[in-house]
């Protein structure tokens, strides 16, 4: 992996996301209940606070949980819920150490079937079906990981020019389109909920 992503809208954070499979996975894990840019800037912030140039699953998995939570809680906090996200990141890293020798890239490297890759992503701690499909779409659309049937396995997120998720963000203009789509979805869900009462 060595591409330029534009998910954090911050050159240093995006550079790390583009070269580090673990950073990309951690950014995806953090992408909930906070703005996308904040989530995807998190891996760079964590690496900086660890005094490292990249994230290391073995190192993070072995961290004292309280100390690691404290690291994410320092101002500015890495996430709105730094304690629970610190725990999730450590669980993800422990899973990667146990199942993939600590190498996030091995989750997808050599996988030649989109459904199999989706299954592997869904097995990651903190990754439900939707998050796994979005990450699969990101792998296919921007990171050149395209096993057979990846678009189908990614569902609507795999559609070309869909502007549904982080998988479609390549700069400020596409970020605006993805934000607009998310707002439409929230409004539709709210209207449906109100209509159901």
């Amino acid at each position: 992996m060595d591409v330029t992503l534009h998910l954090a809208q911050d050159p240093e954070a995006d550079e790390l996301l583009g070269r580090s499979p673990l950073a990309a996975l951690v950014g995806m894990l953090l992408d909930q209940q906070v703005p996308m840019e904040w989530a995807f800037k998190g891996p760079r912030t964590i690496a900086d606070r660890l005094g490292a140039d990249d994230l290391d699953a073995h190192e993070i998995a072995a961290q004292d949980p309280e100390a690691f939570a404290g690291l994410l809680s320092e101002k500015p906090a890495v996430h709105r819920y730094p304690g629970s996200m610190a725990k999730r990141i450590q669980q993800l890293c422990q899973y990667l150490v146990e199942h993939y020798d600590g190498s996030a890239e091995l989750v997808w490297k050599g996988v030649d079937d989109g459904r199999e890759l989706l299954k592997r992503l869904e097995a990651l701690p903190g990754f439900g079906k939707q998050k796994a499909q979005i990450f699969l779409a990101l792998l296919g659309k921007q990171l050149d990981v395209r096993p057979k049937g990846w678009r189908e396995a990614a569902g609507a997120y795999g559609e070309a020019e869909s502007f549904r998720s982080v998988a479609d963000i390549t700069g400020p203009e596409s970020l605006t389109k993805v934000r607009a789509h998310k707002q439409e979805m929230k409004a539709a869900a709210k209207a449906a909920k109100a209509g159901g009462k």
Side-chain angles (χ1 to χ4, degrees):
M1 261 177 56
D2 198 8
V3 299
T4 301
L5 295 178
H6 300 280
L7 306 178
Q9 302 290 301
D10 171 279
E12 288 183 12
D14 283 329
E15 183 274 331
L16 178 61
L17 293 169
R19 70 174 160 84
S20 169
L22 180 56
L25 273 180
V26 168
M28 190 73 227
L29 182 66
L30 291 169
D31 188 21
Q32 57 188 38
Q33 300 178 313
V34 295
M36 289 177 274
E37 303 93 321
W38 184 4
F40 284 96
K41 192 172 181 180
R44 175 81 265 162
T45 304
I46 295 167
D48 288 347
R49 290 179 184 174
L50 288 170
D53 189 42
D54 194 356
L55 299 181
D56 181 302
H58 292 278
E59 182 185 348
I60 292 171
Q63 288 274 325
D64 172 74
E66 281 186 34
F68 191 64
L71 185 103
L72 269 70
S73 299
E74 287 175 27
K75 299 272 189 254
V78 169
H79 194 274
R80 180 180 293 163
Y81 304 107
S84 62
M85 293 315 287
K87 186 176 179 180
R88 285 187 177 182
I89 291 168
Q90 283 196 290
Q91 289 169 339
L92 173 64
C93 289
Q94 287 159 355
Y95 183 89
L96 292 172
V97 167
E98 190 178 325
H99 297 275
Y100 297 101
D101 196 29
S103 174
E105 189 176 32
L106 292 181
V107 173
W108 55 85
K109 193 172 186 181
V111 178
D112 56 11
D113 179 76
R115 287 175 303 192
E116 172 61 26
L117 180 48
L118 180 63
K119 200 183 298 181
R120 286 179 173 212
L121 291 169
E122 285 183 274
L124 297 174
F127 278 67
K129 182 171 184 174
Q130 183 181 32
K131 194 175 282 285
Q133 285 184 312
I134 292 170
F135 195 78
L136 176 54
L138 177 66
L139 287 170
K141 289 179 176 183
Q142 297 197 46
L143 299 172
D144 210 26
V145 175
R146 299 181 180 125
K148 184 175 178 256
W150 73 269
R151 282 191 189 273
E152 294 77 8
Y157 300 107
E159 293 172 10
E161 304 284 321
S162 63
F163 300 107
R164 282 189 166 85
S165 71
V166 297
D168 302 297
I169 298 173
T170 55
E173 188 180 317
S174 53
L175 173 63
T176 302
K177 289 180 182 179
V178 169
R179 272 234 163 77
H181 175 77
K182 285 182 175 248
Q183 287 169 345
E184 285 171 28
M185 294 295 100
K186 280 184 183 174
K190 195 174 182 180
K193 191 175 180 182
K197 287 185 178 175

